[in-house]
């Protein structure tokens, strides 16, 4: 059974940093692109970042470019999102998603998500 | 960035009725469009990929159609568990984008 478990969210002051983790199980993690998607309270979905199966290609939404860094450790079946210079409009539930297309979408970074975690809430407030 | 516009914003229907949801893209996305279902407090669930391919385990009452800029998700006969918010998403290029969602509510 595929499982994705996010952690690392919490309350942080504007300008602060957080590192999110997504621990994966139930599939061959090293062969799938992975993504982070966020959902502000009561709002829609925004694709934040994606990473290829090997980690050599990364993609970022303009809203987070230069502030967020996606990475992965295939030996630990975990994908990370390092978030710095956090702003109030970064407040959201952050979900990780497994690509439904293996690594075939890595050339563009644009994938579909066939399995999702339940998310971790990041609140940026003073 | 490709903008996806979903309509209507809210659809009020009764169980057993047919639901027709629309998603329009600001430019062609070919067939690179997916549909998701999301219930309160839950993660999105992939229903349809590449415009018309049902994901694993998705009931046959869900079907998708369209190409280019105009897409439709049809639920042939609403079950109680189908009342939720539905999002379309394109993957033609980076960044992937979602529509604003259609809420299917019980009339």
């Amino acid at each position: 059974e595929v499982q994705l478990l996010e952690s690392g969210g919490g309350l942080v002051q504007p300008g602060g940093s957080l590192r999110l983790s997504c621990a994966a199980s139930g599939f061959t993690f090293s062969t799938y692109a992975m993504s982070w998607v966020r959902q502000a309270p009561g709002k829609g979905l925004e694709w934040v970042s994606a990473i290829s199966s090997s980690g050599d290609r990364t993609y970022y939404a303009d809203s987070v470019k230069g502030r967020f860094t996606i990475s992965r450790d295939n030996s630990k079946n975990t994908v990370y999102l390092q978030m710095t210079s956090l702003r109030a409009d970064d407040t959201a539930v952050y979900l990780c998603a497994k690509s439904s297309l293996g690594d075939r979408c890595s050339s563009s970074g644009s994938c579909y998500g066939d399995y999702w975690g339940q998310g971790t809430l990041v609140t940026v407030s003073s | 960035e490709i903008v996806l516009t979903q309509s209507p914003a809210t659809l009020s229907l009764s169980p057993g009725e047919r639901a027709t949801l629309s998603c329009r893209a600001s430019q062609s996305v070919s067939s690179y469009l997916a549909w998701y279902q999301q219930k309160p407090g839950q993660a999105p669930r992939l229903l349809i990929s590449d415009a018309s391919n049902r994901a694993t385990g998705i009931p046959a009452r869900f079907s998708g159609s369209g190409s280019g800029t105009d897409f439709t998700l049809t639920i042939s006969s609403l079950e109680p568990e189908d009342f939720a918010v539905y999002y379309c998403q394109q993957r033609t290029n980076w960044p992937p984008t979602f529509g604003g969602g259609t809420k299917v509510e019980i009339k």
Side-chain angles (χ1 to χ4, degrees):
Chain A
E1 178 191 7
V2 172
Q3 291 192 334
L4 299 170
L5 184 61
E6 301 95 338
S7 61
L11 175 64
V12 61
Q13 292 189 336
S17 300
L18 276 178
R19 189 176 85 152
L20 307 183
S21 300
C22 172
S25 61
F27 63 102
T28 307
F29 180 75
S30 63
T31 64
Y32 285 84
M34 298 292 294
S35 296
W36 287 95
V37 175
R38 68 184 179 184
Q39 188 167 33
K43 301 298 184 182
L45 298 158
E46 179 187 13
W47 213 287
V48 172
S49 186
I51 188 167
S52 63
S53 61
S54 66
D56 63 337
R57 283 165 289 182
T58 58
Y59 303 85
Y60 300 95
D62 285 346
S63 57
V64 307
K65 197 174 295 183
R67 301 187 299 122
F68 290 11
T69 302
I70 191 171
S71 62
R72 65 191 294 159
D73 185 339
N74 286 346
S75 69
K76 295 183 178 179
N77 287 357
T78 301
V79 59
Y80 304 97
L81 188 68
Q82 178 70 48
M83 305 186 295
T84 63
S85 302
L86 283 161
R87 312 185 302 221
D89 62 357
D90 293 319
T91 294
V93 173
Y94 285 74
L95 306 111
C96 69
K98 167 186 166 290
S99 164
S100 68
L101 300 167
D103 200 45
R104 296 193 302 279
C105 53
S106 286
S107 59
S108 68
S110 287
C111 308
Y112 302 131
D114 61 351
Y115 287 92
W116 299 66
Q118 288 300 303
T120 187
L121 176 62
V122 173
T123 303
V124 185
S125 175
S126 55
Chain B
E1 176 172 311
I2 296 174
V3 176
L4 299 179
T5 302
Q6 291 188 241
S7 61
T10 304
L11 198 52
S12 298
L13 295 168
S14 301
E17 289 193 294
R18 183 184 189 90
T20 303
L21 288 66
S22 174
C23 178
R24 177 163 289 178
S26 59
Q27 63 189 77
S28 176
V29 299
S30 185
S31 294
Y32 296 129
L33 189 107
W35 291 93
Y36 298 85
Q37 176 193 70
Q38 189 178 34
K39 298 179 181 179
Q42 296 186 17
R45 175 192 182 197
L46 179 65
L47 301 175
I48 302 285
S49 64
D50 290 341
S52 61
N53 297 327
R54 268 192 308 276
T56 303
I58 301 303
R61 64 181 182 272
F62 291 92
S63 64
S65 64
S67 66
T69 60
D70 290 299
F71 299 86
T72 301
L73 174 70
T74 301
I75 310 171
S76 60
S77 178
L78 283 163
E79 297 288 339
E81 62 268 27
D82 298 337
F83 292 91
V85 178
Y86 292 83
Y87 294 96
C88 56
Q89 177 236 323
Q90 64 80 23
R91 70 167 203 93
T92 298
N93 52 27
W94 183 264
T97 50
F98 292 92
T102 291
K103 182 179 181 180
V104 179
E105 65 176 24
I106 300 176
K107 185 174 183 181

